[in-house]
């Protein structure tokens, strides 16, 4: 009998999404604007900043990639500029740099969080300045929901007067020193893709602390139409606004966000307990109490020297044969064919983690039966 697929991270509906969708249909708001869009933006604002929500502005967009692209546009990145980007990340963190004709400068990870290394970041900045190529921005990523070393990165950025774009695509619900990720930079971005902690099927958001910057983002995201009775355009615009239907899904998802975070963190604890007596498998966790990860995906490192010769690929292939999805960590951007000629600063940490790291099923909708199957498969593989 074929076993049902256990996915790495599948969509998980809460139940009230259909209520907001039906309201949009009933009112004929089938457009990239409407009550759900406004409501979804307010929901995110309130979640990120609580009672101080007036300090946060949110523009709901068609994707996290669109949000990152607009952030770079608003920061004035142009053809010929350079932008520093964390190397270990999904390609969507780097692609918008190329959209603008700029060059990505990739920086290695540090071993505590697997995120952008403050030391290598400063080395990269000093070298680019020495070459008269001062970077226009820094993109830091909260990888798999784990906050990057925010204080250290912001300290370096401030020292050289370079703005940070906070890529929180994977980190809604994560916190650093009690403050929500997505609120630490001039511009931050969120993603609501189908595999994220909550989803609108496809969507994202740009977060800023200035209402004028939000208004400018919305202007650019709606084809940059000038205020005129006819269609007039003085700037290049984009079709990046989120639809009222998708925003309705998002409103329902926001109602269960905290529950989804708790469920992901419970999956992480499941893996911590599973591997605590197993040699050669390390579960990546928060380095100290300043960090609070939503554990969007649980990450392990497999050391074949300690597992009796079983490496990452052995475990991944064994799980795949059991119809259980797992996946290697993001292949670092400086190793990607499309970016192979871009500058890179590092010591090989990201490369090593790509070789040894594995993301395990972490969805908020996994059942006890799913966990039993995962546990049996992992133990069977390591015993062999």
């Amino acid at each position: 009998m074929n076993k049902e697929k256990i996915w790495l991270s599948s969509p998980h509906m809460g139940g009230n999404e259909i209520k907001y969708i039906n309201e949009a249909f009933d009112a004929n708001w089938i457009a990239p604007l409407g009550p759900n869009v406004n409501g979804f933006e307010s929901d995110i604002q309130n979640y990120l900043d609580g009672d101080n929500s007036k300090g946060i502005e949110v523009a709901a967009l068609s994707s996290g990639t669109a949000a990152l692209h607009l952030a770079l546009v608003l920061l004035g990145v142009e053809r010929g500029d350079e932008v520093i980007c964390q190397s270990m990340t999904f390609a969507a963190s780097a692609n918008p740099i190329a959209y603008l004709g700029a060059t990505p400068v990739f920086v290695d990870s540090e071993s505590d969080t697997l995120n952008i290394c403050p030391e290598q970041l400063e080395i990269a900045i000093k070298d680019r300045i020495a070459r008269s190529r001062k970077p226009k921005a820094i993109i830091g990523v909260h990888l798999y929901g784990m906050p990057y070393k925010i204080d250290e990165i912001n300290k370096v950025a401030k020292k050289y007067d370079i703005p940070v774009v906070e890529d929180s695509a994977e980190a809604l619900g994560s916190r650093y020193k009690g403050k929500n990720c997505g609120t630490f930079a001039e511009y931050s971005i969120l993603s609501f893709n189908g595999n994220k902690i909550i989803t609108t099927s496809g969507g994202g958001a740009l977060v800023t602390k200035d209402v004028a910057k939000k208004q400018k983002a919305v202007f650019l995201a709606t084809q940059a139409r000038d205020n005129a009775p006819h269609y007039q355009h003085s700037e290049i615009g984009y079709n990046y606004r989120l639809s009222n239907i998708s925003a309705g899904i998002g409103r329902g998802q926001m109602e269960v966000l905290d529950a989804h975070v708790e469920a992901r963190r419970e999956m992480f604890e499941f893996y911590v307990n599973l591997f605590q007596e197993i040699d050669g498998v390390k579960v990546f966790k928060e380095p100290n109490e300043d960090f609070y990860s939503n554990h969007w995906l649980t990450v392990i490192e497999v050391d074949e020297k300690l597992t009796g010769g079983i490496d990452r690929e052995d475990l991944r292939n064994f799980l795949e044969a059991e119809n259980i999805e797992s996946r290697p960590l993001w292949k670092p951007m400086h190793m990607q064919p499309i970016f192979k000629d871009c500058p890179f600063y590092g010591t090989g940490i990201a490369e090593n983690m790509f070789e040894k790291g594995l993301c395990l099923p972490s969805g908020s909708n996994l059942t006890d039966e799913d966990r039993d199957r995962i546990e049996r498969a992992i133990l069977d593989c390591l015993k062999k």
Side-chain angles (χ1 to χ4, degrees), residues 99-114:
Y99 297 169
L100 294 168
T103 298
V105 175
F106 295 114
V107 171
D108 205 354
S109 298
E110 41 78 16
S111 58
D112 291 335
T113 70
L114 304 184

Side-chain angles (χ1 to χ4, degrees), residues 15-176:
N16 276 343
E17 294 85 359
I18 195 68
K19 178 187 77 171
Y20 295 102
I21 293 171
N22 285 338
E23 287 175 359
F25 272 90
D26 292 342
N28 203 33
W29 280 107
I30 316 299
L33 77 168
N36 280 335
V37 175
N38 298 333
F40 187 39
E41 290 175 343
S42 294
D43 293 343
I44 299 168
Q45 286 176 322
N46 292 333
Y47 185 89
L48 290 179
D49 213 23
D51 294 336
N52 192 36
S53 59
K54 291 182 180 178
I56 295 290
E57 298 292 334
V58 176
L61 302 171
S62 57
S63 68
T65 310
L68 186 51
H69 184 198
L70 288 183
L72 295 179
V73 170
L74 291 167
L75 287 171
V77 175
E78 298 176 338
R79 182 172 298 279
D81 288 336
E82 291 187 350
V83 175
I84 289 179
C85 183
Q86 183 169 316
S87 184
M88 176 161 274
T89 184
F90 181 50
S93 299
N95 283 340
I97 303 170
Y99 297 169
L100 294 168
T103 298
V105 175
F106 295 114
V107 171
D108 205 354
S109 298
E110 41 78 16
S111 58
D112 291 335
T113 70
L114 304 184
N115 292 313
I116 189 167
C117 175
E119 294 178 3
Q120 293 300 319
L121 171 63
E122 185 160 21
I123 289 170
I125 292 172
K126 286 181 177 179
D127 188 57
R128 301 325 290 174
I129 291 175
R131 298 167 185 261
S132 300
R133 302 286 295 160
K134 182 180 177 180
K136 225 31 179 323
I138 299 165
I139 298 172
V141 185
H142 302 303
L143 198 69
Y144 303 120
M146 184 66 70
Y148 58 76
K149 293 183 175 180
I150 291 169
D151 286 347
E152 296 176 46
I153 296 302
N154 285 351
K155 182 178 179 181
V156 174
K158 184 177 181 180
K159 179 178 179 180
Y160 295 95
D161 192 26
I162 302 173
V164 175
V165 178
E166 185 186 355
D167 186 339
S168 297
E170 303 168 4
L172 184 59
S174 297
R175 299 193 294 269
Y176 178 73

Side-chain angles (χ1 to χ4, degrees), residues 277-292:
E277 302 296 334
I278 296 176
D279 292 334
V281 179
K282 174 183 178 181
V283 182
F284 274 87
K285 59 184 69 176
E286 291 94 334
N288 58 57
E289 62 185 12
D290 289 341
F291 296 79
Y292 179 93

Side-chain angles (χ1 to χ4, degrees), residues 257-367:
L257 172 54
D258 286 337
H260 284 196
V261 171
E262 185 59 32
R264 300 259 178 173
R265 288 176 60 82
E266 287 176 0
M267 280 303 302
F268 164 77
E269 292 296 338
F270 161 77
Y271 288 118
V272 170
N273 293 329
L274 175 59
F275 289 112
Q276 64 182 350
E277 302 296 334
I278 296 176
D279 292 334
V281 179
K282 174 183 178 181
V283 182
F284 274 87
K285 59 184 69 176
E286 291 94 334
N288 58 57
E289 62 185 12
D290 289 341
F291 296 79
Y292 179 93
S293 175
N294 65 16
H295 290 294
W296 172 58
L297 294 182
T298 294
V299 173
I300 62 171
E301 179 183 7
V302 182
D303 185 347
E304 63 181 301
K305 295 178 182 177
L306 300 176
T307 58
I310 296 171
D311 63 16
R312 188 275 312 279
E313 277 299 278
D314 292 328
L315 179 55
R316 188 187 68 80
N317 287 326
F318 193 95
L319 292 173
E320 185 176 19
E322 294 294 318
N323 211 19
I324 299 171
E325 184 182 23
S326 63
R327 192 170 294 174
L329 273 62
W330 303 123
K331 184 176 183 179
M333 291 298 101
H334 73 276
M335 299 173 66
Q336 299 285 355
I338 194 65
F339 294 126
K340 61 182 175 62
D341 295 326
C342 295
F344 169 70
Y345 296 83
T347 59
I349 290 176
E351 293 176 26
N352 180 67
M353 280 307 303
F354 172 62
E355 293 299 321
K356 297 182 178 181
L358 189 67
C359 298
L360 297 173
S362 304
S364 52
N365 53 359
L366 293 174
T367 65

Side-chain angles (χ1 to χ4, degrees), residues 217-288:
V218 171
F219 169 74
L220 293 172
T222 49
Q223 300 290 15
R225 297 194 299 269
D226 292 340
N227 185 17
H230 52 275
Y231 288 100
Q232 178 165 304
H233 307 270
S234 302
E235 298 180 58
I236 295 295
Y238 310 92
N239 186 17
Y240 279 171
R241 205 68 162 113
L242 187 68
S243 82
N244 197 51
I245 298 296
S246 294
I249 300 173
R251 295 212 71 185
Q253 288 275 279
M254 286 299 294
E255 295 179 3
V256 294
L257 172 54
D258 286 337
H260 284 196
V261 171
E262 185 59 32
R264 300 259 178 173
R265 288 176 60 82
E266 287 176 0
M267 280 303 302
F268 164 77
E269 292 296 338
F270 161 77
Y271 288 118
V272 170
N273 293 329
L274 175 59
F275 289 112
Q276 64 182 350
E277 302 296 334
I278 296 176
D279 292 334
V281 179
K282 174 183 178 181
V283 182
F284 274 87
K285 59 184 69 176
E286 291 94 334
N288 58 57

Side-chain angles (χ1 to χ4, degrees), residues 2 172 174 184 210 242 375:
N2 291 331
L172 184 59
S174 297
F184 289 96
D210 186 323
L242 187 68
E375 180 173 356

